[in-house]
Amino acid sequence: MESFSVLQFLKDKTILVTGATGFLAKIFVEKILRIQPNLKKLYLLIRARDDKSAKQRMFREVIEKDLFRVLRDTWGDSLDSFILEKVAAVPGDISYEDLGIKDSNLKEEMCRQIDLVVNVAAITKFDERYDALLDTNTMGAFHVLSFAKNCTKMQMLVHLSSAYACGEKSGLIPENSFTMGEMLKWPRQLDIMAEKKLVEQKLNQLQTTGAAEDEVTSIMKDLGMERTIDSPLIAYGKGKIDCLPVNSQTIFDLIPADMVVNSMIMAMVANANNPSSQMIYHVGSSLRNPIQFFQIHEFVFHYFTKNPYIDKYGNPVIVGKFKVLDSPAKFHKYMAVRSVLPLKGIFDDTNSEKLRRAMRESGVELDSFNFDPKSIDWEDYFLNVHIPGLLRYVVK
């Protein structure tokens, strides 16, 4: 796996990327276009009603983002023509069979040309409607797999899943696959078709009783409720919360997105000559470079003390240290606030470490494709990358 072979592997390849306007997909697309402009084609599946709308979304939500500034500097005025030559926006939706692609000629062309499928389409808002979650995160993956099987030149399907896939497991989480129907909660077996039927029955019941759309949405959201990590950090910076119910020793599994993309590319190259491979890679930090909540606490306090958030009136928000409520008694005594569900498990990354070792032994340019969590300086990452990035691209 010499360094040139990564570029050689990608040369003249045709890749389908689902969820193309999503966070990770954009980083993947930019990386591929930047390191190997001689790929044949990128098909980007985008939710849109027609070709024109898909192309508009591609430029507005992907190509025109600041992420593409290096490509813009490299290609200058020729960037748009380069994009139009190498990238095709495809209106579709993985929630439907054939990925919702209505143009039969385009679908046939894609099935003849596609070498690789990268599925990063998913709903990661777990307060989303359960029917939408089931259609995208479960049936969507099935539809992508079915489409990939119809691609005559198909070499590999890369499927990404978030750490939420481990459920509430504790201890060391192995890099193992699930069997069909296996669940992480009781009951231990899941019949997907039965779940779809349950959703249909619930929707029909609500329709029969004349439930308003907002009531339908609320009830369906109740079926899939969970939370995320970044909103409390920003809420803290804005002075909206000053406490969290969390054990200060809790380990959080964080990994920069560019490392995820690098690991995707290297996994593709490493398994290129093994079509029957079904490798699972955990790309995380909890085993090799763990970060605990008290460290995040210190970094966030330091950042917002030095760089206070400016409110809508132009005044700096002064923050104090979090009150850490590490027991139910402390929590109930203080107040009920939005809770953060801390990560209970540590992710085994033996397969990922083997992949990194193979990279080092084969002379791959590590700076270009690094995804070693041990190389992360957490203080530098939080103070100079993570928090500034949230404030720049997430906070409105």
Side-chain angles (χ1 to χ4, degrees):
M1 200 196 308
E2 296 180 9
S3 59
F4 67 84
S5 71
V6 178
L7 303 185
Q8 189 64 33
F9 171 79
L10 294 170
K11 184 179 180 182
D12 296 325
K13 288 292 192 297
T14 296
I15 306 173
L16 167 64
V17 181
T18 68
T21 60
F23 177 63
L24 274 175
K26 284 186 279 198
I27 298 173
F28 177 82
V29 168
E30 190 278 337
K31 178 90 176 188
I32 295 295
L33 291 173
R34 175 162 47 83
I35 66 173
Q36 183 47 287
N38 293 317
L39 84 163
K40 184 175 182 181
K41 180 75 74 174
L42 277 176
Y43 287 108
L44 305 187
L45 192 73
I46 296 174
R47 282 183 175 177
R49 62 179 179 272
D50 53 34
D51 291 344
K52 181 179 179 181
S53 299
K55 186 179 293 185
Q56 288 175 339
R57 280 199 70 191
M58 179 183 76
F59 275 94
R60 182 177 67 251
E61 300 180 32
V62 182
I63 307 302
E64 293 175 3
K65 293 298 183 181
D66 188 52
L67 172 66
F68 285 74
R69 66 184 181 276
V70 174
L71 274 172
R72 200 167 293 114
D73 291 342
T74 300
W75 288 88
D77 294 337
S78 302
L79 178 61
D80 285 356
S81 60
F82 169 68
I83 294 298
L84 292 174
E85 176 190 354
K86 297 293 183 178
V87 185
V90 179
D93 188 334
I94 67 168
S95 299
Y96 300 96
E97 292 183 1
D98 292 328
L99 308 185
I101 301 171
K102 299 176 182 178
D103 186 331
S104 59
N105 292 328
L106 173 61
K107 184 167 56 181
E108 291 175 6
E109 172 191 300
M110 292 171 66
C111 287
R112 287 195 306 269
Q113 295 185 3
I114 288 173
D115 302 292
L116 304 162
V117 174
V118 178
N119 181 36
V120 290
I123 296 175
T124 55
K125 288 173 53 182
F126 289 98
D127 61 347
E128 185 55 88
R129 289 174 55 144
Y130 184 56
D131 51 344
L133 288 169
L134 192 64
D135 283 343
T136 300
N137 293 359
T138 302
M139 296 308 300
F142 174 75
H143 294 149
V144 172
L145 176 61
S146 299
F147 187 88
K149 287 181 176 179
N150 290 325
C151 296
T152 56
K153 294 173 57 184
M154 183 70 183
Q155 295 183 25
M156 192 180 306
L157 166 64
V158 178
H159 173 80
L160 265 72
S161 181
S162 74
Y164 293 110
C166 80
E168 297 179 4
K169 283 186 176 180
S170 59
L172 189 66
I173 310 298
E175 292 169 299
N176 293 339
S177 61
F178 295 108
T179 58
M180 180 62 73
E182 181 182 355
M183 282 189 69
L184 299 173
K185 294 183 178 180
W186 184 265
R188 289 298 178 184
Q189 291 295 316
L190 173 72
D191 185 326
I192 295 174
M193 291 301 107
E195 288 296 301
K196 284 184 64 66
K197 187 175 181 180
L198 172 66
V199 167
E200 291 170 2
Q201 289 174 341
K202 177 64 72 173
L203 289 172
N204 290 336
Q205 178 186 355
L206 292 169
Q207 187 177 28
T208 300
T209 58
E213 184 60 28
D214 58 348
E215 182 183 357
V216 173
T217 297
S218 176
I219 291 174
M220 296 310 294
K221 281 187 174 184
D222 286 343
L223 293 175
M225 184 69 71
E226 284 196 39
R227 307 202 188 283
T228 61
I229 182 176
D230 280 328
S231 55
L233 300 186
I234 300 304
Y236 165 76
K238 290 181 175 182
K240 293 184 177 180
I241 62 172
D242 61 1
C243 65
L244 280 177
V246 60
N247 187 325
S248 62
Q249 303 301 312
T250 294
I251 293 174
F252 286 82
D253 197 300
L254 305 175
I255 196 76
D258 57 340
M259 286 191 172
V260 177
V261 167
N262 287 341
S263 70
M264 291 165 59
I265 295 172
M266 297 315 302
M268 290 161 60
V269 176
N271 293 279
N273 298 318
N274 189 6
S276 63
S277 172
Q278 295 186 15
M279 291 295 295
I280 294 175
Y281 299 98
H282 283 164
V283 185
S285 62
S286 56
L287 180 64
R288 302 186 187 277
N289 189 9
I291 181 171
Q292 296 174 291
F293 178 77
F294 78 87
Q295 294 173 282
I296 299 175
H297 182 189
E298 290 296 328
F299 300 153
V300 174
F301 173 71
H302 177 75
Y303 181 88
F304 283 111
T305 299
K306 187 176 180 180
N307 308 279
Y309 181 82
I310 305 301
D311 66 20
K312 62 182 179 180
Y313 303 107
N315 300 317
V317 176
I318 307 303
V319 297
K321 286 199 170 185
F322 272 126
K323 295 179 179 67
V324 178
L325 309 176
D326 55 7
S327 71
K330 288 182 180 179
F331 172 76
H332 291 298
K333 184 178 180 181
Y334 187 79
M335 62 180 297
V337 296
R338 288 172 60 187
S339 65
V340 173
L341 179 63
L343 183 67
K344 298 178 181 178
I346 292 176
F347 289 89
D348 180 23
D349 67 348
T350 299
N351 291 340
S352 292
E353 180 60 19
K354 288 179 180 177
L355 182 59
R356 286 188 286 266
R357 191 180 304 121
M359 287 172 54
R360 290 189 289 268
E361 294 172 354
S362 303
V364 171
E365 187 181 347
L366 296 180
D367 288 343
S368 297
F369 301 101
N370 176 42
F371 61 100
D372 187 349
K374 290 190 291 187
S375 67
I376 304 170
D377 178 329
W378 286 120
E379 181 173 10
D380 177 70
Y381 173 73
F382 267 90
L383 297 183
N384 298 312
V385 179
H386 191 85
I387 300 173
L390 285 174
L391 291 170
R392 182 174 182 180
Y393 297 110
V394 178
V395 178
K396 303 299 182 183

